Amino acid sequence: MSATTTRVQENIGDPVSDKPQVSRPQLEEIFKDIQADLRYDHELHGCLNCGICTATCPAAHYYDFSPREIVQLLWTENLEGIYDAMQEKIWACAQCYTCAARCPFGNSPGGLIMLMRETAIKHEMESAKSVLRPFSRVMLKLVSTGNQLAPDMINAEHFADWGPNISKVDAPLKLLRKAIPMPTLNTTATAWEVNLRTSVELYTIWEETGVLKQLEGIDRNLFDVIADFMDEKREDWKDFLADQEDEKDD
Amino acid sequence: MTTIKSDGTSGPISAERFTGHGAEWRDAKLSPHDAGIATSWVEQKIDRRSMLTGKDRVEDVRDAMWQLEKEGEIVIHRVSDEHQPVMVKTLYGWDKKIPTQRLWHHKSCGQCGNIPGYPASLLWLMNKLNVEYLDETDQTSCTAWNYHGSGIGNLESLAAVFLRNFHQAYVAARAQGLPDSYYYPLVHCGTSFGNYKEVRGYLIHSATLRERVKAILGKLGRLVDGKLLIPEEVVHYSEWLHVMRERINAMREIDCSEIRATIHPACHVYKMVPEDAIYDDGILGGNRVAVSTGIMQALGTQVIDYRTWYDCCGFGFRHIISEREFTRSFAIDRKIRVAVEEAQADVMIGHDTGCITTLDKNQWIAKAAGKPVELAVLADCQFAALVCGAHPYKIVQSHWHASPTEHLMEKLGIDWQAKKAEFVAYLEEVKAGKQENLYDPRRMITSGPGFKPFKPLSAAIPGANRP
């Protein structure tokens, strides 16, 4: 699938923006990266500004955000507008895909936003770093274990607005987890017990698909912590395989 | 009661049409003319199914998938007769095969980490129905919650994770001395379900993507005859529940006819890859996604309509972690308050991890902010298990829910205080290492450290999952 060719040669720009000027080549590179994703042509077909997407958008109720605007910026190749939207607006989207289900053109504004988020990370934008800082705990868990959410992450310190008690039965977390009648779930640091081989295979996927590189660009400290985790698990796996060989020899 | 037909004549209303107003509904006694004016615009314009179907460029991706297999590009993991499939209809009337036996549980990180009664209730129902399954440790989450929230990840990583996990489902039975493809994957999470279907579509259409991930899957030793393995159907647990609804109702022990239930359909279940969602002409006239509504109707509850049924829950992926001001405002104002004040609901039923978490956990803060609103929130399988006699704490694990499930239990005639006391006493047994499990724990490790080969009970023996 080839990327869409440029439809608008001249940048329209945003005359009222007070953001620092970004060079034209940089803006073009950012847009090229968004466009280069093979999903781009599948998710953008045209736009008549009907606004059905925005009318049904949950984020539009609460933020200065409009999926219609995002689609228009991309469709008209408004490079400065795209760059501006990537500073804050794209992070408002709730990723429900209601817009995609409703768009008469078959566009997926939610899907396009993911391409913009990925590109913001690739270009190590400060805005992306700042938005994702509170997300680092989740990313650590996900990248190192393959589970996004673990029982020990849900506590009053991080979820004070969920009430003083995480469980209505007052007992230690470890005991409550042991009382779940699925043995895979008798864990506290991961949502389920994860096989060692699973983790090692997941690390290969992260490396081969450039996800670790993304992470390194956005949060160097987090990357270092995760790299240590990975080294440790890979060593464990090597030891296990060596033990297996020894057992065979015996 | 009558309604105005499109030709202007009036006639009796269909029993399965949008009847969802519950026992307390009273006819406004409008004249046929006035009723026509009041409802015709809504019926014409806000027909949700036509919103979804009134587009072109829609294809059945499975056609291209079969062609790829014919050309020797991929291997398809089939839903075979041994999986005892039930056929359903999707949005455009296409067939979809839902396997009902020999299932490989693809768990949800959010469910297992936060609302463990969700998967436990599902497995409990399967035990009652003698469904053979495997719940094992060799699986990752789909990683899509993180992807949608942070943008860390990409199409290739999502595709590689999808193919890796589904390959494991394909070969998992080897650990029990059983053949490949013995188990069929059943996806618990709505986001995983939507993400996997979307990714499957891109894999089928893009040779470039296939080539890239094939190299990765090859490194992992997860190709079949040197080819990528792609599932014939991506199946969500709510679809299994849907096709089993009458069999589940046959086990029901509690009368549910006084329960006013509202349904929250999950966005990633039916708005992502909408052509694959189940629509059933016998359920709400086939105008809304059938899962959850189907089981709740089968169990005899009153399914109540509410005007914001189409809205998302407010989860937001990133927002639920780091910007819950949006999440809780949306969940309370657009969903819970409407269900309570307009539908006078006893419960809100969902079928996805994020929705249940969001709608359940965010009620406490409304109380703290002086805007109290309370409504029990459960997954469809939790409600089904509860009314089929599952223990509300040992199995349904309702203590992890922040919402007032106690009110619902009281209306169902369940003495929750006594049950809670039983559970607290049971915790002493757990402390002593005497916990009860839904299946033999030896089954959960299929390779690597801790794996010990063992001969399982024959699949033909009812209750083969059990210790």
Side-chain angles (χ1 to χ4, degrees):
Chain A
M1 209 178 289
S2 62
T4 306
T5 51
T6 297
R7 285 174 285 256
V8 178
Q9 294 302 320
E10 292 304 317
N11 169 34
I12 298 166
D14 180 353
V16 295
S17 172
D18 57 0
K19 296 263 187 250
Q21 204 176 352
V22 180
S23 72
R24 175 80 190 181
Q26 197 187 339
L27 293 176
E28 283 177 354
E29 200 188 323
I30 288 168
F31 182 56
K32 213 171 101 192
D33 281 338
I34 296 169
Q35 244 191 343
D37 193 291
L38 64 88
R39 290 167 288 184
Y40 188 78
D41 282 343
H42 182 80
E43 295 179 340
L44 183 62
H45 303 289
C47 178
L48 285 178
N49 260 320
C50 72
I52 280 178
C53 53
T54 299
T56 196
C57 171
H61 281 274
Y62 292 89
Y63 295 97
D64 176 16
F65 170 73
S66 156
R68 181 197 57 77
E69 183 190 353
I70 300 291
V71 170
Q72 276 293 315
L73 291 172
L74 292 168
W75 183 245
T76 59
E77 303 187 0
N78 180 337
L79 304 194
E80 287 180 11
I82 290 167
Y83 183 84
D84 281 349
M86 287 168 79
Q87 302 311 305
E88 189 175 346
K89 289 185 178 177
I90 58 167
W91 299 101
C93 169
Q95 285 292 294
C96 66
Y97 286 75
T98 308
C99 50
R102 301 292 283 270
C103 175
F105 268 83
N107 296 328
S108 174
L112 291 165
I113 280 184
M114 283 317 302
L115 308 188
M116 294 168 84
R117 286 184 181 178
E118 277 188 47
T119 306
I121 287 163
K122 184 181 174 187
H123 287 261
E124 299 178 18
M125 289 185 179
E126 280 307 317
S127 51
K129 290 181 186 178
S130 147
V131 165
L132 293 181
R133 204 157 291 129
F135 216 76
S136 59
R137 214 163 60 102
V138 166
M139 284 195 283
L140 170 64
K141 197 64 98 175
L142 186 273
V143 179
S144 61
T145 71
N147 279 189
Q148 163 128 0
L149 187 84
D152 63 3
M153 291 166 74
I154 311 288
N155 53 51
E157 188 193 337
H158 288 101
F159 291 87
D161 53 333
W162 285 5
N165 304 311
I166 296 303
S167 164
K168 287 174 185 167
V169 172
D170 186 20
L173 179 65
K174 205 170 170 186
L175 180 62
L176 288 172
R177 292 293 297 182
K178 220 174 162 192
I180 300 166
M182 291 170 65
T184 50
L185 270 54
N186 298 160
T187 49
T188 54
T190 48
W192 62 76
E193 186 181 328
V194 181
N195 191 303
L196 181 57
R197 186 176 69 162
T198 319
S199 301
V200 172
E201 288 186 13
L202 184 66
Y203 299 157
T204 303
I205 292 175
W206 295 142
E207 275 173 349
E208 295 288 326
T209 57
V211 171
L212 287 179
K213 203 165 175 291
Q214 280 183 315
L215 205 58
E216 192 178 7
I218 214 79
D219 190 335
R220 177 76 212 192
N221 290 338
L222 183 64
F223 170 80
D224 288 341
V225 173
I226 287 172
D228 287 346
F229 262 101
M230 288 169 56
D231 288 345
E232 204 178 303
K233 288 258 177 82
R234 280 175 162 157
E235 278 303 312
D236 290 347
W237 182 242
K238 266 190 205 161
D239 291 347
F240 168 74
L241 293 178
D243 289 347
Q244 294 285 297
E245 284 303 312
D246 290 347
E247 274 178 33
K248 263 189 211 165
D249 293 343
D250 294 342
Chain B
M1 184 179 163
T2 59
T3 187
I4 305 299
K5 293 177 181 170
S6 53
D7 61 4
T9 61
S10 61
I13 198 164
S14 154
E16 277 293 17
R17 216 160 144 273
F18 290 92
T19 50
H21 306 293
E24 288 154 38
W25 187 86
R26 295 288 175 271
D27 194 337
K29 300 193 190 317
L30 293 178
S31 69
H33 180 257
D34 289 344
I37 290 169
T39 59
S40 63
W41 186 89
V42 174
E43 287 179 355
Q44 283 166 28
K45 303 291 181 191
I46 316 293
D47 179 338
R48 310 298 179 172
R49 191 163 175 177
S50 77
M51 265 304 202
L52 288 165
T53 55
K55 302 173 186 176
D56 51 11
R57 285 193 288 271
V58 173
E59 55 151 7
D60 187 345
V61 78
R62 293 170 301 182
D63 295 341
M65 181 179 75
W66 293 116
Q67 186 59 31
L68 279 180
E69 189 186 50
K70 216 171 152 186
E71 291 164 5
E73 263 282 305
I74 59 168
V75 172
I76 296 173
H77 185 176
R78 287 166 165 72
V79 181
S80 67
D81 290 346
E82 285 71 34
H83 299 120
Q84 298 180 23
V86 172
M87 207 66 93
V88 292
K89 295 286 182 195
T90 56
L91 183 67
Y92 296 100
W94 303 339
D95 287 329
K96 181 173 182 179
K97 273 187 203 169
I98 307 298
T100 63
Q101 267 290 352
R102 296 187 181 177
L103 300 166
W104 185 86
H105 287 290
H106 189 335
K107 295 183 287 291
S108 154
C109 56
Q111 286 174 22
C112 295
N114 186 37
I115 30 177
Y118 198 151
S121 296
L122 181 64
L123 268 61
W124 183 87
L125 287 167
M126 288 192 176
N127 280 3
K128 293 275 277 184
L129 291 160
N130 293 320
V131 173
E132 194 189 3
Y133 60 76
L134 181 66
D135 171 30
E136 67 154 320
T137 61
D138 193 354
Q139 57 185 276
T140 71
S141 74
C142 64
T143 74
W145 177 355
N146 173 71
Y147 175 70
H148 286 290
S150 73
I152 297 279
N154 51 54
L155 184 55
E156 278 175 50
S157 70
L158 293 169
V161 165
F162 161 54
L163 294 169
R164 186 246 167 247
N165 283 333
F166 274 57
H167 179 273
Q168 177 55 27
Y170 184 77
V171 300
R174 285 180 193 172
Q176 300 166 353
L178 296 167
D180 287 354
S181 83
Y182 186 86
Y183 290 111
Y184 199 87
L186 186 73
V187 180
H188 288 196
C189 177
T191 282
S192 305
F193 178 60
N195 164 65
Y196 284 155
K197 289 197 295 186
E198 197 172 60
V199 165
R200 182 178 67 158
Y202 284 118
L203 276 165
I204 288 166
H205 283 303
S206 170
T208 312
L209 180 61
R210 285 200 302 276
E211 194 187 334
R212 287 178 191 160
V213 292
K214 194 173 166 183
I216 300 168
L217 273 283
K219 267 193 181 173
L220 302 180
R222 292 203 177 268
L223 297 173
V224 176
D225 300 330
K227 299 168 189 172
L228 294 177
L229 177 80
I230 290 186
E232 178 181 355
E233 305 284 9
V234 180
V235 184
H236 190 233
Y237 88 87
S238 68
E239 299 181 315
W240 177 87
L241 201 67
H242 180 72
V243 301
M244 301 296 277
R245 63 194 187 281
E246 292 304 337
R247 278 180 260 184
I248 291 170
N249 184 46
M251 305 189 300
R252 183 170 51 79
E253 293 179 0
I254 295 173
D255 175 23
C256 305
S257 60
E258 292 301 314
I259 300 299
R260 298 169 63 84
T262 41
I263 307 293
H264 170 69
C267 298
H268 285 203
V269 166
Y270 80 108
K271 291 174 188 167
M272 268 179 123
V273 195
E275 63 270 25
D276 189 69
I278 298 178
Y279 286 76
D280 184 326
D281 288 342
I283 294 168
L284 298 176
N287 282 300
R288 296 188 192 172
V289 63
V291 297
S292 291
T293 299
I295 178 82
M296 293 304 286
Q297 286 186 340
L299 292 169
T301 67
Q302 302 171 39
V303 177
I304 313 293
D305 203 4
Y306 64 108
R307 69 189 143 86
T308 55
W309 73 272
Y310 193 81
D311 275 346
C312 85
C313 62
F315 181 68
F317 299 85
R318 184 182 71 81
H319 305 72
I320 187 78
I321 301 289
S322 55
E323 214 165 290
R324 278 193 301 284
E325 295 84 352
F326 162 78
T327 295
R328 59 189 180 232
S329 297
F330 200 86
I332 294 299
D333 292 340
R334 296 285 301 184
K335 300 297 293 194
I336 299 296
R337 193 176 301 285
V338 180
V340 169
E341 293 177 359
E342 181 182 305
Q344 295 168 39
D346 297 309
V347 64
M348 183 168 277
I349 295 292
H351 47 239
D352 187 19
T353 314
C355 317
I356 300 294
T357 304
T358 300
L359 298 167
D360 178 84
K361 301 283 188 185
N362 284 290
Q363 293 186 35
W364 185 87
I365 190 67
K367 205 187 308 175
K371 298 175 180 176
V373 58
E374 288 195 327
L375 181 62
V377 175
L378 288 173
D380 46 10
C381 58
Q382 287 180 292
F383 184 90
L386 193 63
V387 300
C388 288
H391 196 288
Y393 296 91
K394 280 185 185 174
I395 302 296
V396 180
Q397 299 266 317
S398 62
H399 46 290
W400 299 103
H401 288 247
S403 67
T405 52
E406 298 81 6
H407 298 173
L408 174 70
M409 287 196 265
E410 280 165 13
K411 197 160 178 184
L412 286 166
I414 297 170
D415 184 349
W416 63 268
Q417 281 161 316
K419 294 287 182 187
K420 194 173 176 180
E422 282 174 16
F423 180 70
V424 170
Y426 169 66
L427 287 178
E428 291 303 314
E429 289 179 47
V430 176
K431 258 190 214 168
K434 293 180 193 164
Q435 69 265 35
E436 296 164 16
N437 290 317
L438 288 163
Y439 55 83
D440 187 333
R442 289 176 300 170
R443 294 164 63 90
M444 76 179 193
I445 300 177
T446 54
S447 69
F451 170 59
K452 288 192 180 70
F454 78 103
K455 202 79 186 151
L457 293 169
S458 161
I461 298 173
N465 306 309
R466 292 174 202 158

